[in-house]
Amino acid sequence: MCGFSGYFGSIRDGRALLETMTAAIAHRGPDEQGIFTAPEAGLGHVRLSIVGLGDGQQPMSDASGELTIAFNGEIFNYVELRDELRARGRRFRTSSDTEVILHLYDEMGEACVSLLNGDFAFAIWDARRRRMMLARDRMGVRPLFYTAHGGTFYLASEIKALLKVPGISAEIDPIALDQIFTLWAPIAPRTPFRNILELEPAHLMVVDERSVTTRPYWQLQYPDRDRPGGIDERTAAEELRALLTDATRIRMRADVPVGAYLSGGLDSSVVSALAAGMAPQGLRTFSVTFDSAEHDESAFQLEMAAALGTDHKAIACREGEIARVFPDVIRFTERPIIRTAPAPLYQLSGLVREAGLKVVLTGEGADEVFAGYDIFKEARVRRFCGRQPGSRIRPHLFRKLYPYLPGLKQQSAEYLAAFFGAGDERLDDPLFSHRPRFKGTAATKLFFSAELRAQLKDYDAAAELVGRLPLDFGRWHPLHQAQYLESRFLLPGYILSSQGDRMAMAHGIEGRFPFLDHRLVEFAATLPPEVKLRGLTEKHILREATKDLLPPAIGRRVKQPYRAPDSHSFSGPGALDYVRGAFSTEAIAAGGLFNAGAVAKLYEKCRSRPASGFRDNAAFVGILSTQLWLQTFTGTGIRKAEAA
Amino acid sequence: MTQTIKEKVKTFIIENFLFGDTSYDLADTASLIENDIVDSTGVLELVAFIEDQFGIAMADADIVPANLDSLARISAFIEAKAVPVTA
């Protein structure tokens, strides 16, 4: 697990540039640094040593010296792939997974990615064909960004490295901002930085002197809704268990100890239980706790840690902590966000680092793969209400879905139906499941400045998303359509990036996700919807497959979404100067993206009444993070306010 | 009287939910929910405003879109229920 940067083209002092670029992402690889340059290309690498500690230095060249790779991530099936390569007469000089990729590329070219089971982003300089090949893992765990400037192609694990290239500077992309304030994340390959793109998950790219070609090598697919499921539940549970066990087993492969995040929910508990059984030396687990009862899960964390006998450590996300770390969080997310949830995970990876570990397993991905999120249930209830518009009974189900939202507790059936748009929607809308979320989030654009609105004109982020859906999307079951939207867009665009890789790698920690093993993802996609979401019980088949692993109280737990305190974190007597500065009229005017008068009223409302609703909270966090983004990457915004 | 109630409510909506955006064309009959002006928390803010400003105790049965989902409906509801807090 590491970071890398590179270029393809003719530049004057490639080595010096690569040293500067890799220094910008040194947090991703504190153990080693390496530089490779050829006349027309270069690669730089910072290494977090996990596999092949003594001989896995990068960039790594093959025996011929014609192929050179810079690689971030892990190939979990490298042992099996290496055995097969050896059987074909291939000789290995190192014990690393990196060399396996080089051999496979030498044999198969870019088609080699289809054999890799792992979380990876890499670039191979192919001197024979004078081309650079880039690839990214199927689900989008590891990042890879690129841009072109002055006839040279540049690439890096984080955008901050690209900003070290002379002539490349940060400028906000208004369309990306609209997408974040509607969909929660930009639609890849777009990033918030104008002219800087990311390689999409499950894509590869070949860059040569004449062209840049990009294509997918894998696609998330679901069966046609009319096709009967051909598997009984018991068999499905057994197969799921076998796949998940193997996915966890190969993710325990490392030359350093592997720990686990333990949230107290079903998914991380299952992963920790499987991992504990594979760690004869004992498993170390890590959690974050909150002061507020509505966010805290420490009782379940302690129960699970005790049941497994793990060496457990927790870090408290106390009042004011989110505000304290938030500027650092935005420096690492490199994008505005509308929720604060990454901040406690930033703290948590720091705890793991202090404990001396480099690798953690997590339960991330189970909610996408096995239909755990509330939004899946909400869509089902909305369809149920839509069958009998005007029902005074059916909308009460919405209250059951969101027991943790105080604003819903006291609402009448009529209001519940109205809030969720139940009863008067187009059931064939491809975004049916997510439409209330997108519509509710887009209400935050009320704060956009007149200038920004003029630039955006009639741009519709949700319509662009519809245009990105695969041709056979309309033939899938509604639950599978909703799962696709979560898995293909929000998972890589927010969960695995802003909450995942960027928060873990800020402290040099590698997260591994057994639920995102592509064999498990493909298997789960074939399962009938009712096996995943049974009535309003989420992840039914996962519960069945793992019930012997967990204490009953954990196994029966209804999903509690991972949330953190939002605008409330930034208010109160301890409000930090930078927050006041970011919301000041001068700073808002300097940034030019928001309406200063409206923002001032929002700031006062959130400070005086901490129990703000979703729209106000999302707007507060979105505006603050955008202002911090401007300050961090363009030098505008807050700094001017401080000078004022 | 009606005009006063409606103007008070309109001012509250513009200040509290539209954050002073007077350019927004808030029609009397426009749905506050469908136009994303109030969410579930916003309804409770609206209820608190009506109770505080107009001295009306709102029963659960009163808190329905038929009474509260537009400027015209809110005004009509308050007019029907209002008892002046002070003379």
Side-chain angles (χ1 to χ4, degrees):
Chain A
M1 182 59 166
C2 315
F4 62 90
S5 59
Y7 65 86
F8 178 30
S10 180
I11 62 173
R12 202 181 309 160
D13 190 350
R15 175 168 290 275
L17 175 63
L18 289 170
E19 283 173 355
T20 308
M21 291 174 77
T22 49
I25 51 172
H27 52 275
R28 299 185 68 89
D31 297 333
E32 290 174 358
Q33 183 187 349
I35 303 285
F36 161 85
T37 55
E40 63 274 79
L43 293 169
H45 190 267
V46 287
R47 184 176 185 220
L48 183 67
S49 309
I50 290 170
V51 173
L53 298 183
D55 58 9
Q57 289 81 9
Q58 295 188 49
M60 180 184 287
S61 298
D62 71 346
S64 73
E66 293 182 320
L67 301 177
T68 303
I69 185 171
F71 162 47
N72 164 210
E74 305 292 344
I75 306 304
F76 300 118
N77 64 338
Y78 79 103
V79 176
E80 292 78 11
L81 292 172
R82 191 174 58 198
D83 289 346
E84 291 167 15
L85 285 159
R86 278 185 175 140
R88 293 199 290 272
R90 291 265 166 181
R91 290 191 178 177
F92 282 80
R93 297 180 295 163
T94 76
S95 57
S96 70
D97 51 348
T98 311
E99 193 180 358
V100 170
I101 306 175
L102 272 179
H103 279 287
L104 283 174
Y105 177 83
D106 190 34
E107 283 193 354
M108 305 171 65
E110 60 262 31
C112 70
V113 290
S114 62
L115 296 182
L116 305 178
N117 182 345
D119 302 335
F120 56 85
F122 63 79
I124 295 176
W125 166 242
D126 183 339
R128 275 175 286 189
R129 286 184 271 191
R130 294 169 57 82
R131 66 180 203 173
M132 189 84 84
M133 180 243 180
L134 282 60
R136 198 168 167 215
D137 61 69
R138 294 169 181 83
M139 303 307 287
V141 175
R142 300 297 160 222
L144 185 46
F145 301 95
Y146 63 93
T147 190
H149 180 71
T152 298
F153 178 87
Y154 296 95
L155 58 117
S157 297
E158 294 186 22
I159 290 171
K160 49 180 70 69
L162 296 174
L163 298 177
K164 295 296 181 186
V165 177
I168 295 179
S169 59
E171 188 183 342
I172 194 97
D173 181 333
I175 298 284
L177 198 63
D178 190 290
Q179 291 171 350
I180 291 168
F181 278 69
T182 305
L183 313 172
W184 300 20
I187 303 173
R190 193 182 294 272
T191 76
F193 294 78
R194 196 192 290 268
N195 298 326
I196 295 178
L197 303 175
E198 70 174 296
L199 184 62
E200 292 184 61
H203 277 63
L204 54 84
M205 173 183 275
V206 175
V207 187
D208 62 24
E209 286 170 346
R210 293 183 306 279
S211 63
V212 177
T213 55
T214 308
R215 67 175 173 84
Y217 64 86
W218 180 87
Q219 286 174 332
L220 178 58
Q221 293 277 353
Y222 295 90
D224 286 1
R225 74 171 87 187
D226 300 327
R227 206 177 79 190
I231 191 165
D232 72 85
E233 194 170 307
R234 188 172 162 190
T235 307
E238 288 172 0
E239 194 163 338
L240 189 168
R241 177 67 172 265
L243 280 168
L244 183 59
T245 302
D246 196 60
T248 307
R249 181 183 66 82
I250 62 175
R251 280 164 181 76
M252 297 288 283
R253 286 174 170 167
D255 296 333
V256 295
V258 175
Y261 282 174
L262 186 57
S263 73
L266 177 72
D267 313 329
S268 64
S269 296
V270 165
V271 167
S272 294
L274 288 170
M278 300 172 192
Q281 74 284 14
L283 185 71
R284 300 179 72 181
T285 50
F286 301 89
S287 299
V288 62
T289 65
F290 294 93
D291 290 340
S292 55
E294 67 171 307
H295 300 106
D296 187 58
E297 299 181 73
S298 55
F300 294 104
Q301 293 160 1
L302 293 174
E303 179 176 353
M304 195 63 210
L308 296 176
T310 64
D311 175 2
H312 186 69
K313 279 191 165 51
I315 188 166
C317 182
R318 299 202 183 285
E319 189 173 333
E321 191 62 23
I322 288 175
R324 193 182 66 75
V325 302
F326 204 61
D328 283 337
V329 167
I330 299 306
R331 186 160 57 86
F332 286 107
T333 61
E334 298 184 329
R335 56 184 53 179
I337 50 179
I338 60 158
R339 301 177 74 189
T340 59
L345 294 168
Y346 175 79
Q347 277 186 276
L348 185 56
S349 66
L351 174 70
V352 176
R353 191 71 191 175
E354 277 175 26
L357 265 67
K358 297 178 179 179
V359 185
V360 285
L361 302 176
T362 92
E364 210 65 81
D367 288 320
E368 289 80 1
V369 173
F370 292 108
Y373 287 126
D374 290 332
I375 202 164
F376 302 133
K377 293 189 264 188
E378 179 190 303
R380 182 164 285 183
V381 173
R382 284 167 49 227
R383 285 185 187 278
F384 179 64
C385 292
R387 281 191 242 148
Q388 202 61 251
S391 164
R392 292 182 54 84
I393 303 298
R394 297 180 185 220
H396 286 290
L397 284 168
F398 289 117
R399 218 188 318 269
K400 181 175 154 64
L401 297 186
Y402 299 103
Y404 50 86
L405 292 183
L408 286 185
K409 280 183 188 162
Q410 302 157 51
Q411 303 292 353
S412 61
E414 291 90 338
Y415 255 130
L416 289 169
F419 291 138
F420 292 97
D424 55 356
E425 303 170 282
R426 276 184 45 213
L427 298 178
D428 61 348
D429 176 1
L431 300 184
F432 177 89
S433 56
H434 286 62
R435 192 66 79 176
R437 177 197 282 178
F438 294 159
K439 195 162 173 286
T441 305
T444 58
K445 295 194 291 181
L446 164 75
F447 296 97
F448 280 7
S449 67
E451 296 79 9
L452 180 57
R453 291 183 201 205
Q455 286 183 67
L456 290 167
K457 297 193 180 76
D458 297 326
Y459 175 73
D460 183 341
E464 181 172 341
L465 187 63
V466 170
R468 298 298 192 89
L469 301 175
L471 289 175
D472 46 359
F473 184 87
R475 297 203 301 270
W476 299 342
H477 186 279
L479 179 67
H480 289 157
Q481 293 179 339
Q483 284 185 273
Y484 183 87
L485 292 172
E486 285 290 320
S487 305
R488 181 65 182 82
F489 297 104
L490 200 68
L491 180 68
Y494 174 74
I495 300 283
L496 292 176
S497 49
S498 294
Q499 283 191 189
D501 175 90
R502 258 28 64 76
M503 291 305 101
M505 289 311 297
H507 291 113
I509 298 299
E510 173 177 303
R512 295 182 176 184
F513 315 101
F515 285 108
L516 293 178
D517 186 302
H518 72 274
R519 297 168 301 169
L520 194 59
V521 172
E522 290 169 355
F523 169 72
T526 66
L527 294 175
E530 284 299 323
V531 170
K532 288 175 274 197
L533 182 57
R534 167 138 318 167
L536 292 182
T537 301
E538 73 281 4
K539 294 180 285 200
H540 167 75
I541 192 70
L542 178 62
R543 291 174 197 275
E544 287 299 305
T546 59
K547 57 189 173 189
D548 61 307
L549 292 173
L550 309 175
I554 303 277
R556 285 195 301 266
R557 275 196 83 189
V558 175
K559 162 110 189 132
Q560 173 166 340
Y562 166 64
R563 297 180 307 138
D566 288 314
S567 65
H568 179 51
S569 308
F570 301 94
S571 59
L576 299 172
D577 285 345
Y578 85 84
V579 181
R580 278 194 292 275
F583 281 96
S584 69
T585 302
E586 295 86 348
I588 296 293
L593 299 172
F594 302 107
N595 175 331
V599 168
K601 289 181 194 298
L602 173 72
Y603 182 62
E604 279 314 307
K605 183 179 180 184
C606 289
R607 277 174 55 81
S608 58
R609 275 175 285 172
S612 302
F614 170 80
R615 191 267 309 263
D616 295 354
N617 267 311
F620 187 101
V621 177
I623 292 166
L624 177 59
S625 60
T626 304
Q627 293 291 104
L628 287 168
W629 185 97
L630 287 171
Q631 182 201 30
T632 305
F633 298 107
T634 74
T636 60
I638 297 170
R639 192 173 296 165
K640 284 192 178 180
E642 289 172 347
Chain B
M1 179 69 182
T2 304
Q3 187 63 22
T4 307
I5 290 172
K6 189 183 287 182
E7 283 307 315
K8 274 187 180 175
V9 174
K10 187 169 185 173
T11 300
F12 172 75
I13 290 172
I14 288 173
E15 287 297 307
N16 197 62
F17 299 126
L18 296 172
F19 299 90
D21 184 359
T22 50
S23 66
Y24 191 96
D25 185 15
L26 182 63
D28 284 4
T29 55
S31 164
L32 300 180
I33 292 177
E34 285 175 21
N35 290 289
D36 297 308
I37 296 170
V38 302
D39 57 15
S40 59
T41 308
V43 169
L44 301 182
E45 292 174 24
L46 189 57
V47 169
F49 164 76
I50 293 168
E51 290 185 336
D52 292 345
Q53 286 294 311
F54 299 100
I56 296 169
M58 293 190 69
D60 288 354
D62 292 332
I63 305 173
V64 290
N67 290 335
L68 301 176
D69 195 36
S70 70
L71 190 52
R73 288 182 188 182
I74 298 167
S75 303
F77 172 77
I78 294 171
E79 198 175 345
K81 290 257 188 173
V83 177
V85 178
T86 55

